Amino acid sequence: MEIPYVTEPRKDTGLYNAKVGIWLFLASEVMLFGGFFSAYILLRVGSVEGTWPTELLNVPIGTFNTLVLIISSVTVVLAWSALKLKQFGRYKFFQAITIICALIFVCVKSYEYRDKFTHYDVILNDGTRVDGHLVEKTDEYITLSHPLSYPAEKGIAYRPIAIELRDNPPADAETAGHDGDAAAAHPAEEGADEHATTSDSHGDGHGHDLTIQMADVKKMTNWGPWANTYFAIYFTMTALHALHVIGGALVIAYLWGPGAKMWKTDPERYTNRIEISGLFWHFVDLVWIFLFPVLYLL
Amino acid sequence: MSGHTPEEIHQEVRRYLWVFGLLIIGTIVTVAASYLDLPSFAWTVALALLIASVKGFFVAGYFMHLMDEKKMVYGILGSTVFFVIGLMFLTIWAMSDPPTNTIYP
């Protein structure tokens, strides 16, 4: 039995059935992501003043991934247009770029995740907060590269100021006491933390490796979703989005590879399949267009 | 969408490329705007969301062909927008009614 309205539109909806289906599905997706955006707003606005972390993500990398998704979105519509013009080779070319872009996006996202999972935040017994990339961790000590130190009571939102003070110390920093912000940004270098040892393995001024004894550690966590509310919502939203990227890429890759046989038997239906998968892909791009400024820039 | 003759498809392709250019510019502007020294954080948020909305409009309008779709699609999306706005209002209402007495002796 032939399935009706696979290519020709129904009279009542004016659309072929798959198109009604994908729009209903996308409507449910809007509600799903809407719920998470709503949760984000609640957490962001409800956070205590000065406690919401900023500048923890790499903006150039996020911008690069945004551009990658935009390129993939345009290649999807160009691929669909090529099919409409019966240019199958051209379609294959553009859709191959889409799949490559999806792979690049996922790889870059994985790199970002790895960077966060290997970044440790350590609060010492003396009230100093140190964060840096993990070099080595044993039961006795933890070694961090590019450490940044500041008073724990100032909270993680103070981090950008601590970086600024570390990179551009004020002129009177040399003579400042240990109560000053400049000193707070350099306790390891100035020997404020008697339990920490440093070694300048990079020679770039602030590229020390800092070793901290576990006995001096009050609390320690990496920058995973459990680190704080910001990372919880960041990982939840970006992981959900990344799953959509992977799912969409798998469908597009299937239609590009084994599924492309349909082009020979039923080209119109195949073109519609590309349009449907493309609509999903544009939705994934659309979500990222909002996720990027919300998570990386605000 | 309309446009199914080769000429119309070629016209569509030109439009896609224009939108592509605008999206690239929009992304650069989004990042640049975040470094602007605006009067308050609310302005920064408003500007970032405004640029994102314009970019979203171009993606939905042209790449997803919503500028020229059937009423059925507008109906589905219209009801979705209604419920999303409702969801956001629930969030706003929740802010004026925070949970209290959550710690018991």
Side-chain angles (χ1 to χ4, degrees):
Chain A
M1 195 184 93
E2 198 175 315
I3 304 168
Y5 310 115
V6 187
T7 51
E8 78 280 18
R10 272 175 73 112
K11 278 186 185 143
D12 49 359
T13 62
L15 303 160
Y16 56 92
N17 279 351
K19 204 160 182 180
V20 179
I22 190 70
W23 276 113
L24 284 170
F25 175 65
L26 291 183
S28 73
E29 290 279 87
V30 170
M31 292 308 294
L32 173 68
F33 279 100
F36 281 111
F37 274 106
S38 161
Y40 170 84
I41 294 167
L42 197 65
L43 294 171
R44 179 76 173 90
V45 178
S47 64
V48 177
E49 181 79 25
T51 59
W52 192 260
T54 53
E55 300 177 29
L56 297 184
L57 301 178
N58 191 320
V59 174
I61 288 182
T63 310
F64 174 77
N65 250 359
T66 308
L67 297 175
V68 166
L69 272 194
I70 290 172
I71 291 168
S72 72
S73 240
V74 79
T75 53
V76 162
V77 280
L78 291 177
W80 175 78
S81 304
L83 284 184
K84 282 281 180 190
L85 294 168
K86 313 283 181 210
Q87 297 170 336
F88 190 69
R90 213 172 141 84
Y91 150 76
K92 288 281 259 186
F93 171 73
F94 282 124
Q95 209 67 320
I97 297 175
T98 306
I99 296 163
I100 292 167
C101 284
L103 282 173
I104 292 172
F105 183 90
V106 173
C107 288
V108 170
K109 203 75 222 152
S110 307
Y111 168 77
E112 278 190 287
Y113 276 17
R114 190 185 169 279
D115 185 64
K116 294 292 164 271
F117 277 101
T118 55
H119 198 117
Y120 272 73
D121 217 349
V122 183
I123 294 177
L124 303 176
N125 291 326
D126 68 358
T128 306
R129 187 177 194 141
V130 186
D131 73 64
H133 278 96
L134 181 69
V135 177
E136 194 183 359
K137 184 167 162 272
T138 68
D139 290 341
E140 282 83 42
Y141 63 88
I142 180 169
T143 305
L144 302 172
S145 69
H146 297 78
L148 178 73
S149 310
Y150 53 97
E153 83 246 13
K154 287 188 181 282
I156 199 167
Y158 181 77
R159 201 173 178 273
I161 300 168
I163 293 174
E164 179 65 25
L165 288 169
R166 181 191 67 185
D167 295 344
N168 302 302
D172 59 344
E174 292 296 319
T175 54
H178 278 205
D179 292 337
D181 282 345
H186 298 267
E189 289 159 32
E190 300 186 12
D193 179 13
E194 61 189 20
H195 309 292
T197 55
T198 66
S199 59
D200 191 352
S201 61
H202 302 274
D204 59 357
H206 51 77
H208 305 82
D209 283 351
L210 177 69
T211 298
I212 302 164
Q213 298 303 313
M214 284 298 181
D216 302 321
V217 174
K218 185 180 175 189
K219 198 176 155 194
M220 180 174 75
T221 179
N222 61 356
W223 280 0
W226 39 78
N228 52 46
T229 313
Y230 170 76
F231 276 125
I233 196 77
Y234 162 76
F235 277 106
T236 306
M237 293 179 88
T238 54
L240 182 68
H241 178 264
L243 282 177
H244 280 73
V245 172
I246 293 167
L250 284 175
V251 171
I252 289 171
Y254 170 77
L255 293 172
W256 186 83
K261 281 182 283 189
M262 185 185 271
W263 174 251
K264 287 177 185 162
T265 54
D266 196 347
E268 205 173 337
R269 190 177 175 190
Y270 183 71
T271 307
N272 284 351
R273 283 187 168 189
I274 298 307
E275 186 181 14
I276 297 302
S277 60
L279 282 171
F280 178 77
W281 193 257
H282 297 313
F283 174 76
V284 170
D285 182 27
L286 197 57
V287 170
W288 185 257
I289 281 174
F290 284 92
L291 271 183
F292 171 61
V294 162
L295 294 174
Y296 284 73
L297 304 174
L298 295 181
Chain B
M1 66 162 296
S2 59
H4 284 175
T5 67
E7 287 73 31
E8 284 168 328
I9 297 287
H10 284 301
Q11 207 174 352
E12 283 282 334
V13 168
R14 275 195 294 278
R15 201 172 293 153
Y16 295 148
L17 294 175
W18 270 106
V19 171
F20 173 61
L22 288 172
L23 290 172
I24 298 288
I25 292 167
T27 303
I28 295 163
V29 171
T30 306
V31 177
S34 71
Y35 292 103
L36 286 178
D37 197 14
L38 293 171
S40 73
F41 180 66
W43 278 90
T44 312
V45 174
L47 185 61
L49 292 183
L50 178 73
I51 300 166
S53 301
V54 171
K55 285 170 69 184
F57 169 79
F58 280 115
V59 171
Y62 293 98
F63 287 175
M64 299 173 91
H65 306 137
L66 278 182
M67 294 296 278
D68 182 24
E69 257 305 350
K70 297 287 183 292
K71 277 182 188 168
M72 178 82 184
V73 174
Y74 294 138
I76 293 169
L77 285 180
S79 61
T80 311
V81 168
F82 174 78
F83 283 110
V84 167
I85 290 172
L87 185 67
M88 295 302 165
F89 268 104
L90 279 177
T91 310
I92 295 165
W93 287 329
M95 285 172 196
S96 61
D97 185 24
T100 53
N101 295 327
T102 53
I103 301 167
Y104 295 96

